[in-house]
Structures are given as C-alpha cells and as structure tokens.
Amino acid sequence: MRKPNLMAALEDIKIAALIREARQLLQLSKVEFASKIGVSFQSVNRWENGRNRAIPLALKQIEKLLHNNIGEPGENLLTKYFSNQD
C-alpha cells in the first residue's frame, strides 16, 4: 500500500479549512452551502472532514461566492486561499 503524499495531505487540510471557513463566513449550513455551489450535502461534509478532495470546479464556485461576499472577511479568505493561484 502506498503512503499518501505529504504535499497532497497538506493540500487536503488546506481545502478542508477553506470550505469550513467560507461556509461559516457566509453563515450557511452545509446543506445551504452545497446548494449554492451545486453539490450535495454529503460532498461538503466529506470535504470538510478531509475524506474527499473538492474538484476544481467546486473550488471555483467557492471562490465566486467569496468574491460576491462584499467586505473584508471575504477578501481575507480570498487572499489566504486563492492568492497563489494563476
């Protein structure tokens, strides 16, 4: 059995934190958050718990939600999680 790649594991932790922080910032339940980004509650739950990795399209939807969240908290999350992307 292969050991998980450390970088991939760290990335999963970062993604889980992003999803949790974004959902809490927007004051949405997992069901509401899932509906906003077009996925199931189970997907959001698995992502937050680090059991699955969010697909790039879902991450783009989360980024879009944060862009639409006017104010400093949304901008802070965008900078924290999306500033290193091209």
Side-chain angles (χ1 to χ4, degrees), residues 1-2 4 12-14 16 19-20 23 28 31-32 34 37 43-44 49 52 55 60-61 63 65 67-68 70-71 75:
M1 192 163 118
R2 280 180 36 176
D12 288 346
I13 292 168
K14 183 179 175 182
I19 292 166
R20 185 176 299 108
R23 185 178 62 77
L28 297 172
V31 171
E32 293 166 331
I37 62 172
S43 291
V44 172
N49 292 313
N52 287 87
I55 60 172
K60 280 297 202 189
Q61 290 297 102
E63 184 178 11
L65 275 177
H67 273 295
N68 293 334
I70 298 172
E75 291 298 320

Side-chain angles (χ1 to χ4, degrees), residues 11-62:
E11 188 67 21
D12 288 346
I13 292 168
K14 183 179 175 182
I15 291 170
L18 157 67
I19 292 166
R20 185 176 299 108
E21 288 181 51
R23 185 178 62 77
Q24 290 172 346
L25 172 69
L26 298 169
Q27 299 179 350
L28 297 172
S29 70
K30 288 179 184 178
V31 171
E32 293 166 331
F33 188 77
S35 176
K36 292 252 185 216
I37 62 172
V39 299
S40 68
F41 158 82
Q42 291 85 356
S43 291
V44 172
N45 192 49
R46 288 182 188 121
W47 298 340
E48 280 194 17
N49 292 313
R51 291 191 305 251
N52 287 87
R53 182 179 289 176
I55 60 172
L57 182 60
L59 293 174
K60 280 297 202 189
Q61 290 297 102
I62 293 167

